[in-house]
Each structure stands twice: as C-alpha cells, then as structure tokens.
Amino acid sequence: MNDQTVLLGHGSGGVMMKRIIDQVFAASYGSEELAQGNDAAVLPAPEPGQRLAFSTDTFVVTPHFFPGGNIGRLAVCGTVNDVATAGAQVKYLSVGMVLEEGFPMDQLLEICQTIKETADEAGVHVVTGDTKVVNRGHGDGIYINTAGVGLIPQGRNLSGSLCQPGDAILLSGTLGDHGITIMSTRENLSFSANIKSDAAPLNHLIAGVLEAAPDVRCFRDPTRGGIASTLNELASQSNTDMVISEDAIPVNPAVMGACEMLGYDILQVANEGKMVCVCPQNQAQAALEAMRANPYGLDAAIIGHVEASRPDRGNKVFLETAFGTRRIVDMLVGEQLPRIC
Ligand code: MG
C-alpha cells in the first residue's frame, strides 16, 4: 500500500476505495466470500432444526493498541463471545470501519492482520465489510463495528431466564484485567507492567463446557459494568438472587492492587475474555474441569450459587465476604470508564 495514511478518497466508492479494500482488507482477511467481490456475501442456509444466533457490537476503545491486544482483537472477540453465549457455533463476521482522515496506514494494516489472526483462532470467516472515511478532527482514528452469525444446534436452548435456585455460578478466570489495563495504559501508570488485557475468543471454551455439562442454563460475558452488572441482569431475568463468595473470585493481585488504589470496585470493572456460566449443581464440577482444560480458563472457579428471591425485596446479588457477612452488589450506574471497548 503506497498511501501512508488514510485519505478521504479511501471511502469514496472509487478507485482509491478499491485499492484499500484489495490491499488492506481483502489482503488481510483472505476469505473466499470477500474475494468474490459482490455486495452481499452468499452463505449456506442452516440445516433443518438449526437456528441462527446473531449479534453486533461497536468498538471505540482508546488507546487503539494496549498490552494484550488492540481494537481489532477486541472487535472480533466481543462479537464472537456474544454469539457463542447462545451455544452457537460462530461462523461469519462482518467488519465495518469508520476511519479518520490521516489515520496511519501501517496501524490500520496491523489492526486488520490482528482481526484475521483472531478470527482464525476463533474459526470464523470475515465475509463482508464496509469502509467510511470522515474528515480529520471528526473521528478518533478508527471505530469498528462487527456483526456475527452462528448456528445453534437442534435442541439447545440457553437463556439467562433459566437460572434456578440451587444452580452453581462459574467464572472462567480473573476479573478486571481489561478495564485496569486500558485505564493504566491511558494514564501511563507504573503498575501496568504486570497486567494486560484478557481479550480472547471464548467460543471453544464454551463448546467444551457444553459438551461436559449439557444442561448449562446460560453463559454471559461480564464486559462493561463487570460481573456486578452481569449477575444483576441474570437475577432479574430469572427472578432469583445470586450469591457469590469473595474468597472464591479469582483476581490477579496486581489488578486488585490497582483497583484499591484507584477506588474501583473490581466487580464493576470490564472484562473482554471472561465468561460467567450458570449450570445445575450436579454438573458444576464437570463444567469447571472443561473450563480449566481451555487455555483461557486456567483460573476458572465456582464462585457462587443461585438462591430464591424474597418477594419483598426484589432480585439481589450478594457478595459473601471473608468475614461471613453479605453485602449487596449493585449494578454499575453510568460510566465507570468511558471508551473501554
Ligand atoms: Mg455480552
């Protein structure tokens, strides 16, 4: 690619746009469907009994590059993980980009190559995309939207509404790594040496858990709002209470230290490579072992259980502290850290 930076003409629909598509996007993603060069990717229909899972997410993270990944890795993982929570085999991704005039072409290439590597790791194809360029000063370098499609096998039905009193709550690894990494990179804080983003595609981890524990009720990724928001959502969806134990929650000590220093509640910090799973108690051990068998689940733990709600006080999430007391875990109100993903 001869152009050193993104120019308005790269979003023009003309010769320059064809050049950036051929030399940057299609060259990086290398999928058959893109190479066909049509306006729509044509994909096989699901087989009888299968259903589709479909999700989309937009990524505006700043900085664009951070320890553990970049905006491209986030853009693939965020959507892959959301589609995978339906128990779907994730198949196809779209990648739309809003680029700011002047964005360095070498950075764009690096982001696109990361998209390809992460898509390969997840086993998904980038099949369609879009490019827009906005005037200098009217964007912040790069924004990415991805959408993903997956196939749900016949008979599989996962939903947050299915959690029942007595069920176990599992977490696939340490909390807070992504949020604290972004914050400390942005502020140039010295403890950042020991932490990196957890951004990871978890579709293979989910598939392993479903094989070992077929009656899983649901998966959900504790992204913005952290696990506090995830568990409050599940409690209200299923009309239950969720109880987690402080001692059981895996946390990297460097991340915990940073949270304490900065006054963040670790339960409200964003994660990009973690999965919450609720399953019947008698399958919890099998689900845990399946998580730990995946490279992204080595620190997985059973962190709590589901309880019946008391009708007089609504659905609550409780944290059992090391002293045996219970405190209510609230959903994050507003924005803890803007542009985290
Ligand atoms: Mg999600």
Side-chain angles (χ1 to χ4, degrees):
M1 188 82 185
N2 286 328
D3 306 307
Q4 299 295 304
T5 64
V6 172
L7 305 169
L8 281 173
H10 288 133
S12 64
V15 172
M16 286 178 68
M17 186 154 111
K18 176 150 176 32
R19 196 158 71 218
I20 198 173
I21 289 172
D22 291 347
Q23 297 183 19
V24 177
F25 302 121
S28 297
Y29 307 151
S31 77
E32 263 169 54
E33 295 87 349
L34 263 187
Q36 287 164 4
N38 294 315
D39 277 0
V42 177
L43 309 168
E47 285 164 23
Q50 288 181 330
R51 289 172 301 153
L52 295 177
F54 180 33
S55 188
T56 185
D57 206 339
T58 303
F59 298 84
V60 299
V61 67
T62 175
H64 304 123
F65 295 82
F66 44 82
N70 61 39
I71 189 172
R73 184 164 172 86
L74 270 193
V76 174
C77 296
T79 292
V80 163
N81 292 346
D82 276 345
V83 174
T85 60
Q89 188 191 359
V90 195
K91 303 284 281 184
Y92 308 112
L93 277 186
S94 71
V95 180
M97 294 207 178
V98 178
L99 303 170
E100 183 186 359
E101 181 188 13
F103 189 70
M105 197 60 77
D106 58 344
Q107 289 188 23
L108 179 61
L109 260 171
E110 187 177 342
I111 289 165
C112 291
Q113 280 155 10
T114 302
I115 287 173
K116 164 67 171 166
E117 284 162 21
T118 314
D120 282 352
E121 185 187 346
V124 301
H125 284 206
V126 177
V127 297
T128 188
D130 179 53
T131 317
K132 295 289 186 306
V133 181
V134 296
N135 301 75
R136 200 179 287 271
H138 288 254
D140 196 0
I142 179 169
Y143 303 134
I144 304 180
N145 173 274
T146 51
V149 177
L151 297 171
I152 305 173
Q154 188 158 24
R156 181 164 294 161
N157 186 25
L158 304 182
S159 169
S161 61
L162 299 175
C163 304
Q164 292 176 25
D167 285 351
I169 305 170
L170 285 79
L171 173 65
S172 66
T174 55
L175 285 184
D177 302 69
H178 179 73
I180 294 299
T181 299
I182 295 300
M183 198 274 314
S184 60
T185 307
R186 217 181 269 169
E187 305 300 331
N188 221 347
L189 297 176
S190 55
F191 51 71
S192 58
N194 299 321
I195 48 188
K196 62 182 172 77
S197 169
D198 57 347
L202 299 177
N203 53 324
H204 301 313
L205 179 144
I206 285 177
V209 171
L210 282 169
E211 202 167 302
D215 296 323
V216 164
R217 315 289 191 202
C218 67
F219 294 96
R220 190 152 304 176
D221 51 346
T223 53
R224 277 173 305 169
I227 198 169
S229 294
T230 297
L231 293 177
N232 272 287
E233 285 167 17
L234 295 178
S236 102
Q237 244 185 307
S238 58
N239 191 23
T240 60
D241 286 355
M242 304 271 157
V243 182
I244 53 173
S245 161
E246 192 168 34
D247 286 343
I249 297 171
V251 186
N252 171 349
V255 170
M256 197 60 198
C259 270
E260 282 168 0
M261 196 176 92
L262 299 160
Y264 288 132
D265 180 349
I266 186 81
L267 300 177
Q268 294 185 335
V269 177
N271 310 277
E272 291 291 341
K274 294 294 148 42
M275 202 50 73
V276 170
C277 167
V278 178
C279 73
Q281 203 61 246
N282 64 5
Q283 293 181 10
Q285 200 57 38
L288 179 66
E289 280 160 28
M291 276 188 181
R292 287 184 175 163
N294 184 280
Y296 295 122
L298 301 178
D299 298 318
I302 299 172
I303 61 164
H305 63 276
V306 182
E307 287 187 357
S309 283
R310 262 177 37 191
D312 58 319
R313 68 176 179 202
N315 310 115
K316 297 284 183 219
V317 177
F318 295 100
L319 180 74
E320 274 180 344
T321 67
F323 309 107
T325 56
R326 282 187 173 191
R327 81 159 167 94
I328 290 177
V329 178
D330 283 321
M331 211 154 176
L332 180 63
V333 180
E335 188 78 275
Q336 180 188 55
L337 202 58
R339 298 189 53 190
I340 192 84
C341 60

